Every structure is written in structure tokens, then in C-alpha cells.
Amino acid sequence: MAADWIGCLVSIHCGPTLGVYQGEVSSVDQTSQTISLRHPFHNGVKCTVPEVTFSAMDIKDLKILEIRKSFTEVPKQNGPDINFTLTPHGGRKDKGGGAPVNSTPVMVPNKTEPKTQEGGVSPVPHYSKRSSSCRGPNQATPKKNGLKNGGHMKNKDDECFGDGMDDVPDEDFDFEGNLALFDKAAVFSQIESSERRGNGARSRGTPGEQTPSRYRHDENILEAKPVVYRQIMVPQNGTKEYSTDSGLVVPSISFELHKRLLAAAESHGLSLERRLEMTGVCASQMALTLLGGPNRLTPKNVHQRPTVALLCGPHVQGAQGISCGRHLANHEVEVILFLPNFVKMLEAITSELALFGKTGGKLVSNVKDLPETPVDLVINCLDSHENGFLREQPWYKAAADWANQNRAPVLSIDPPVSGQAHAVEAKWSLSLGLPLPLSEGAGRVYLCDIGIPRQVFQEVGIKYHSPFGCKFVIPLHSE
């Protein structure tokens, strides 16, 4: 009956000390109560000896991995004197009795029958074992085979790795030693020297082919047409020119041409009300940025709301300032609007005041009602392009003196041209559509888009390409 075990693949568990062995049964000796495995694996690593012999006392558990013949194994009893008899019937695992933990499986260097000593245990030759955590190329995890569609399933490891596993060396590859053989400096030196000899030619590829230019990460490698920086042409050369951050030239226009441009835009439907709304949005957005933007206007900073003082006169520029104040008040800015009492006002100012009154902003008509302490920002809309006599009015002088004495920065919206003196020194000035030739007292000039189409510019003789890009307010630099 013992011959029925020959050729079967089994797994033998010898306890925590000796570990688990797998292999093909080469012999079973019922007299000495031993079983031998050829081509053994110990804890998943192939053994260095061709055969291993186990005593029945060392075996804790025995599992059949591949059945070559149909048989039944009779469980062995506890103790050294057991009957290790196998009768062919069916496959079941044999759970044997306990053995001393210091028992050692017998290792034989060849396939001959081992000589037994007293107790039926063969002498143990010297051999080395690798740790179970070290997985080598010969490691294979045996699995139970099953039947599929009546056929016998092959072991997946055998299908993957095939035969010839004994020829794989046990030594690990020395990565560090192999990397030390590579002289990186010498290789790069050879590449550079070949490029110098080729006078800029590539070291690989077609001989004589020139090396392409090297580009920065922010440069476009595609060839493009040269950039035309003067894209706006005016019929009359202005006295001053500006440029954007990208280098586009923005010429200034005279006030007469500015009036013709606005009249042409109004004839096409861009009414005064629409221009006031657009100017108010752009100016308020610029003012919000000057006030600190998202760093200042947050829900957690409601106890430190910024304060803006608006100084407006009875003209279109004053209506633009009131529109700006309405948008600022809608963004939780504390707005104080100064506008003197007049018997007759523009219809645009009346409608803008009605909307501003719905925001909760403060309206004052006397300079004495303005804050005595510095505010965060002063927006100046006192000046008019056409009526210069307003500067002689007492309310105008009082408001200008208050703005100059208050230590807050000043933003002027649509200030007058250079021929007129600026009563209030501004840090920033906002021009509409195209800039006017402003004097140095206007501070840094910004330009806002009020929505005038390109064809309207062409009607008044201006060749126009928008310099705004993705923004509605851009800074201008003096040439």
C-alpha cells in the first residue's frame, strides 16, 4: 500500500519550529515509520538538498496537494510506535499526533534509502536554510487542484514558470555592485565632447542635422507671427502714449474725440445709463481690490468693514461716482456720499441717488458731516470735463481741502485732461475706453472697458483692437 503514495505531491507541517515542507513523495518506509520527499520546498523556498526524510514523530499535519492515484490515508496515532499504513481509497489529510518540538526532519543528500539509527531516525547532514520572508525566483505556492469540465486542472505555477526551475541560481542579484560599474560622469562627458566636435550637430540621428533651439518652460515652441504691439491707431497723434503690462501701445485721445466716440456709441444703443452702470461696476471692482479684496472683505471680518468717502459733483462724472458707491455698499462697504444740494440736477443723478438710497449708504451735503478721522479710501468725482467754473464754488474748495487733509489714498474716476489743474492729488486715476492725456497729478493711470464695440471706434476713425485681454480694468504705464 505504501507504493500508492509514490509520486504524490504533499505538504507536511512539522510545527512552528521546523516549519512546512512540500514535495513529491519518493518513498514510504512502514518499518522505520518515515516518509521521504524529493525536490523539497521549505516554507516556500527550495531546499539545497535533493531529498528530505521525515519521521512520524515530527509530523504534525499532512495535506495532499496533488493526487496521482485514488487512496485513503489512515490517521496515525500519538506516540512513536504507530502504524504508518496507507490504504488506497480516497484523499484525506492525515493529522498526526504531537511530537517534541526539538525533533528534526532527516535530510539525506541523495535518493538512496537512508540508513537508520536507533529510534528510526536517520543522521542529519549539515545544510543551510533561507528565511521564509526571503522570496527567491524558485518560490512557488502550491495549490489544490480541482476538476473543471471533467478535465484535470494543471498547477498554475507550472503553467507559468514551466520546467527547468532547478537551473535558476540561488544567489541574489547585486544591484549596488552592478550600478557601481556605470560611470555616469564619463558618459555625459563623452556626449558633450561629441556635440562639440559636431559643431552643434546631434550625436544621434542624421549627421549634420542641427540641434533645435532650447526653450524655457514658459516659451511657445510653435512658430508664430511676430507680435504687433501698436494695434490701436488714432487719427490725431495724441500728446501722450501709454503701454500695457504685455507691451501693447495705448495712445491717448483728445477730449473732443472722446466726446465723438461716446456720441457714436449712444447712437448705437450704448446709452448713458448703460455706460454709468458699466463704469460703476469697473470702478467698484478696482476700489474693492485697493481696499484689500478677499483679505479684507470676509465674513469673519465684519467688525472691520472698510469705509469709503465719495466726493461727487452735479454732472455725469458725479453720477458715475454714485453708481460706484452703490456697488460698494452692496459689497458690505461703509459708503459716505458727499453731494451738495442743488435746485436742479441731472436726471441721471436723480435716478442714481434713488438706487443708492436703497443700499443703506450715508448721504451728506455738508463737508462738516464727513468723517474727521482718515477713511480707507477717497473716491474723487468732483471735476467735470466741460464746466471748469465749479472749482470756484465754496463747496468744491471745501471738499477738495477735506480730501487733501485726510490721509487716505485718492482714486479719481474719469479725471479732466492735462490743461486743467487737479485740485485733489490722486494716487490712482481711472479712464474710460481710451485714456486722455492726463497730467502727473493724476497718479497711476488705469483703463476700464465700458463696452464700446470695435465698429464704433472705426466710425470715428480709430483702428481698435482690445488691449484688455481677460480683464475689464488694466494698468497703463507712461511711455
Side-chain angles (χ1 to χ4, degrees):
M1 296 298 180
D4 296 329
W5 281 70
I6 304 302
C8 296
L9 297 180
V10 297
S11 175
I12 299 177
H13 183 28
C14 299
T17 304
L18 300 179
V20 180
Y21 289 81
Q22 298 94 17
E24 179 184 349
V25 177
S26 60
S27 64
V28 177
D29 192 344
Q30 296 182 0
T31 304
S32 60
Q33 293 290 291
T34 60
I35 182 173
S36 300
L37 304 180
R38 66 166 62 97
H39 307 304
F41 282 80
H42 178 222
N43 292 334
V45 180
K46 188 174 181 179
C47 298
T48 57
V49 295
E51 192 175 51
V52 182
T53 301
F54 300 90
S55 175
M57 298 177 58
D58 301 328
I59 299 175
K60 303 296 183 183
D61 190 11
L62 188 146
K63 297 180 181 179
I64 300 174
L65 303 179
E66 184 177 346
I67 304 172
R68 299 296 175 87
K69 295 181 181 180
S70 178
F71 63 90
T72 302
E73 47 182 302
V74 179
K76 59 189 181 69
Q77 301 175 357
N78 294 335
D81 298 330
I82 62 174
N83 185 12
F84 203 77
T85 304
L86 304 176
T87 59
H89 179 67
R92 293 185 303 173
K93 62 181 181 179
D94 178 25
K95 296 184 179 180
V101 295
N102 57 359
S103 299
T104 305
V106 179
M107 303 293 179
V108 293
N110 51 41
K111 298 182 180 180
T112 59
E113 189 70 21
K115 297 181 180 181
T116 60
Q117 293 181 349
E118 298 181 359
V121 180
S122 301
V124 182
H126 177 73
Y127 72 102
S128 61
K129 296 189 295 181
R130 287 187 288 180
S131 171
S132 60
S133 62
C134 179
R135 294 184 174 268
N138 295 332
Q139 179 177 352
T141 305
K143 299 181 180 179
K144 291 185 179 180
N145 291 336
L147 298 178
K148 182 178 181 181
N149 297 329
H152 187 68
M153 295 179 60
K154 294 183 179 181
N155 190 292
K156 293 183 178 180
D157 293 332
D158 294 339
E159 295 178 357
C160 179
F161 297 103
D163 299 333
M165 298 176 62
D166 297 337
D167 299 335
V168 181
D170 293 337
E171 294 80 6
D172 294 334
F173 183 76
D174 188 5
F175 288 95
E176 295 182 359
N178 186 70
L179 184 61
L181 299 177
F182 176 69
D183 192 351
K184 183 177 179 181
V187 173
F188 278 96
S189 176
Q190 183 180 1
I191 294 174
E192 293 177 358
S193 61
S194 62
E195 290 182 352
R196 287 194 297 269
R197 288 195 303 270
N199 192 17
R202 295 181 178 177
S203 59
R204 290 178 294 181
T206 305
E209 184 178 358
Q210 296 297 322
T211 304
S213 302
R214 297 183 178 181
Y215 297 91
R216 299 195 312 269
H217 68 282
D218 58 345
E219 288 184 334
N220 189 2
I221 63 174
L222 300 178
E223 294 184 1
K225 297 180 180 179
V227 180
V228 178
Y229 291 100
R230 189 175 292 275
Q231 299 180 358
I232 302 176
M233 300 292 183
V234 295
Q236 300 175 356
N237 294 328
T239 58
K240 199 168 189 179
E241 286 187 342
Y242 301 90
S243 63
T244 63
D245 289 339
S246 58
L248 297 178
V249 178
V250 181
S252 63
I253 59 177
S254 63
F255 178 65
E256 289 74 14
L257 184 57
H258 180 73
K259 288 193 303 180
R260 289 171 51 198
L261 178 63
L262 296 182
E266 189 167 357
S267 65
H268 287 281
L270 191 62
S271 61
L272 176 60
E273 291 77 11
R274 299 181 67 174
R275 299 201 307 269
L276 290 177
E277 188 69 15
M278 195 67 183
T279 304
V281 171
C282 293
S284 62
Q285 188 171 13
M286 180 179 176
L288 290 173
T289 304
L290 297 176
L291 291 172
N295 298 324
R296 180 78 181 274
L297 299 168
T298 60
K300 298 181 180 180
N301 198 26
V302 293
H303 61 287
Q304 292 181 339
R305 293 173 56 186
T307 303
V308 174
L310 266 167
L311 308 180
C312 298
H315 37 65
V316 175
Q317 284 70 31
Q320 294 171 352
I322 300 173
S323 176
C324 174
R326 170 167 54 88
H327 290 290
L328 290 176
N330 289 337
H331 286 264
E332 303 298 328
V333 176
E334 186 176 351
V335 179
I336 303 174
L337 173 60
F338 169 77
L339 181 65
N341 289 325
F342 294 96
V343 177
K344 185 178 180 180
M345 290 189 182
L346 292 176
E347 183 180 355
I349 294 181
T350 305
S351 59
E352 289 294 335
L353 281 178
L355 289 174
F356 178 79
K358 306 298 182 181
T359 63
K362 185 178 180 181
L363 175 64
V364 298
S365 59
N366 195 326
V367 177
K368 296 181 180 179
D369 297 328
L370 291 173
E372 297 181 358
T373 58
V375 295
D376 294 278
L377 181 66
V378 174
I379 298 180
N380 177 26
C381 299
L382 295 174
D383 295 300
S384 173
H385 294 286
E386 298 176 340
N387 189 359
F389 297 101
L390 292 177
R391 298 183 180 89
E392 305 297 331
Q393 300 292 329
W395 61 267
Y396 182 98
K397 294 182 179 180
D401 292 340
W402 177 90
N404 292 327
Q405 294 176 3
N406 195 286
R407 289 177 291 179
V410 178
L411 167 64
S412 294
I413 298 178
D414 196 13
V417 294
S418 302
Q420 303 172 358
H422 293 277
V424 179
E425 293 292 330
K427 188 174 183 180
W428 309 281
S429 291
L430 184 63
S431 296
L432 312 181
L434 284 177
L436 301 174
L438 303 178
S439 62
E440 297 297 331
R444 186 173 184 182
V445 180
Y446 284 76
L447 186 66
C448 77
D449 183 9
I450 58 176
I452 301 178
R454 180 188 299 183
Q455 293 185 359
V456 176
F457 283 97
Q458 294 178 355
E459 287 186 9
V460 296
I462 299 176
K463 181 183 177 182
Y464 181 82
H465 289 272
S466 175
F468 293 96
C470 63
K471 300 179 181 180
F472 282 86
V473 178
I474 56 174
L476 296 181
H477 309 277
S478 299
E479 292 291 337

